[in-house]
Amino acid sequence: MPDIATWKKIGIMGGTFNPIHTGHLLLAQWAMEEAGLDGVIFMPTGNSYMKDKEEMLPGSERLAMTQLAIQDRECFSCSDLEVKRGGNTYTYETLEALRSMYPQSRLYFIAGADCLFNIEKWYCPQKIFENCVLLAASRSGAPMEALEKKRCELTEAYGAEILLMAFPNMEISSTDIRRRRRLGRSIRYLVPDRVREYIVRNHFYEGL
Ligand code: ATP
Ligand code: MG
């Protein structure tokens, strides 16, 4: 187990991870290099109030897949904080909890561009920005200029500290992976092998 308390710059990779995929892992890797992070904590959400519940696997299973995906990386860790908390999970609460667990460290919340455009709808955006630097990556369809504009707006409105990161366009999403499973198509290379085997063995996302 990595000793997170020794990490000075901690990346937080939040997501539903339903399932975790190569895009998430590459994003975490890029963020580490881009911002010089010591490591990244993957944080699967509890039962999100924003997501369609039907296809949502229980937190315990999304956490299990996340663990399988990162188990061979010393600088990747995974947390059950949100899954255990149950009910709606709010990012600001998680960040406050992590701040008190690791008071010596700086937190970097890693997110795709879609999140940057949504974040004001999240609960207490002010408290999110007070507790972390937001590291936002471009994602399909969101050009850098649009991101830059949003960054300025958020900095003005909340004093937010936001780093933008150019990220290759990867048309990988959990939605598409679930769709492929429904259609009986392969998800090889879209998710790590151990995750794929776990999904297939447990018949996840079939015929939903
Ligand atoms: P879904 O399709 O179910 O919404 P997702 O693929 O968007 O799933 P999430 O768990 O919602 O995955 O995303 C977690 C984080 O990873 C978000 O910040 C999201 O923007 C980012 N992310 C996911 N896939 C990519 C990708 N291909 N490129 C860049 N960022 C991504
Ligand atoms: Mg998403």
Side-chain angles (χ1 to χ4, degrees):
M1 276 298 275
D3 185 6
I4 298 171
T6 64
W7 295 356
K8 290 201 169 58
K9 295 167 94 176
I10 303 178
I12 319 293
M13 179 77 203
T16 41
F17 303 138
N18 185 38
I20 190 161
H21 57 66
T22 309
H24 298 130
L25 294 163
L26 192 66
L27 181 55
Q29 180 66 30
W30 275 56
M32 281 225 309
E33 290 190 357
E34 186 81 13
L37 308 178
D38 297 292
V40 176
I41 302 174
F42 287 74
M43 180 75 66
T45 55
N47 294 323
S48 169
Y49 58 100
M50 284 192 204
K51 292 260 176 169
D52 178 1
K53 295 234 165 31
E54 194 152 313
E55 288 190 311
M56 183 68 87
L57 286 182
S60 54
E61 294 295 10
R62 291 180 287 107
L63 182 68
M65 292 188 284
T66 305
Q67 253 151 2
L68 287 172
I70 59 146
Q71 68 182 23
D72 53 359
R73 287 302 299 286
E74 188 66 18
C75 54
F76 284 175
S77 178
C78 125
S79 167
D80 60 5
L81 208 69
E82 293 197 355
V83 163
K84 266 210 182 133
R85 196 188 295 140
N88 289 343
T89 49
Y90 298 114
T91 300
Y92 91 89
E93 285 180 326
T94 303
L95 291 170
E96 286 184 349
L98 290 171
R99 274 282 289 264
S100 53
M101 286 163 77
Y102 309 111
Q104 314 292 349
S105 314
R106 194 103 206 262
L107 302 180
Y108 290 74
F109 190 79
I110 305 163
D114 47 320
C115 295
L116 191 64
F117 291 98
N118 265 327
I119 201 153
E120 285 173 284
K121 293 195 208 101
W122 297 12
Y123 198 65
C124 288
Q126 183 68 53
K127 288 194 184 165
I128 296 179
F129 291 124
E130 274 165 19
N131 285 292
C132 71
V133 176
L134 183 65
L135 193 51
S138 55
R139 194 175 182 186
S140 328
M144 233 14 188
E145 305 81 74
L147 286 177
E148 183 59 48
K149 185 162 173 277
K150 192 72 200 170
R151 187 180 77 81
C152 291
E153 280 170 28
L154 292 171
T155 303
E156 197 147 303
Y158 302 99
E161 202 175 327
I162 301 172
L163 298 175
L164 296 181
M165 169 169 92
F167 189 67
N169 244 349
M170 292 183 84
E171 294 282 350
I172 302 181
S173 69
S174 304
T175 302
D176 183 56
I177 289 166
R178 295 192 300 272
R179 187 186 61 88
R180 296 180 75 87
R181 288 286 297 155
R182 265 196 317 273
L183 299 173
R185 295 175 65 177
S186 170
I187 56 168
R188 192 183 286 273
Y189 308 127
L190 296 172
V191 301
D193 258 344
R194 277 187 295 266
V195 174
R196 179 178 55 82
E197 283 156 12
Y198 191 80
I199 289 174
V200 170
R201 188 166 1 109
N202 289 290
H203 303 282
F204 287 160
Y205 315 118
E206 286 176 4
L208 275 168

